[in-house]
Amino acid sequence: MSVRLSIVFLALLAACTQVPELKDTVTADMSKADFPDLVPLDTALGPAVDPEDEASKLQNELVGRRERLRNRATQLQASVVDDTTRDRLNTGISQ
């Protein structure tokens, strides 16, 4: 019970505390400082992008990448040795 009473007492004590005013903490140098101007967020971020345009651009890039990867896979699966060379090698092995 005494712990609860202590917590209540501390809460009441904290409520009676004097909070210093913020303008008392601003020095003369701070009040004369050259702060940047505030600008609207819309102009700071630039023009808005159309999500549909961005999605179509991304889709086109991904389709192109898919096609390039398919072509590369086809080339990698192709034979390294041409038919003439293979026949000559097979002839040499069988002798």
Side-chain angles (χ1 to χ4, degrees):
M1 186 76 170
S2 63
V3 175
R4 290 182 186 170
L5 185 60
S6 298
I7 292 173
V8 170
F9 178 72
L10 287 174
L12 289 174
L13 185 64
C16 297
T17 304
Q18 293 291 331
V19 179
E21 292 294 324
L22 291 178
K23 64 175 121 174
D24 294 340
T25 61
V26 177
T27 63
D29 292 338
M30 292 172 87
S31 63
K32 294 177 184 176
D34 187 26
F35 292 106
D37 294 332
L38 296 177
V39 295
L41 190 58
D42 294 340
T43 58
L45 293 178
V49 294
D50 184 20
E52 291 180 8
D53 284 343
E54 292 295 316
S56 65
K57 285 179 187 177
L58 180 61
Q59 183 177 4
N60 291 337
E61 289 175 12
L62 291 175
V63 167
R65 182 173 184 221
R66 180 187 66 196
E67 293 305 317
R68 288 190 304 273
L69 288 173
R70 281 186 179 165
N71 291 338
R72 185 175 177 199
T74 303
Q75 291 173 356
L76 289 173
Q77 290 174 353
S79 178
V80 177
V81 179
D82 62 352
D83 291 336
T84 307
T85 307
R86 181 176 293 118
D87 290 340
R88 196 183 75 194
L89 289 171
N90 287 335
T91 306
I93 292 172
S94 63
Q95 290 179 354

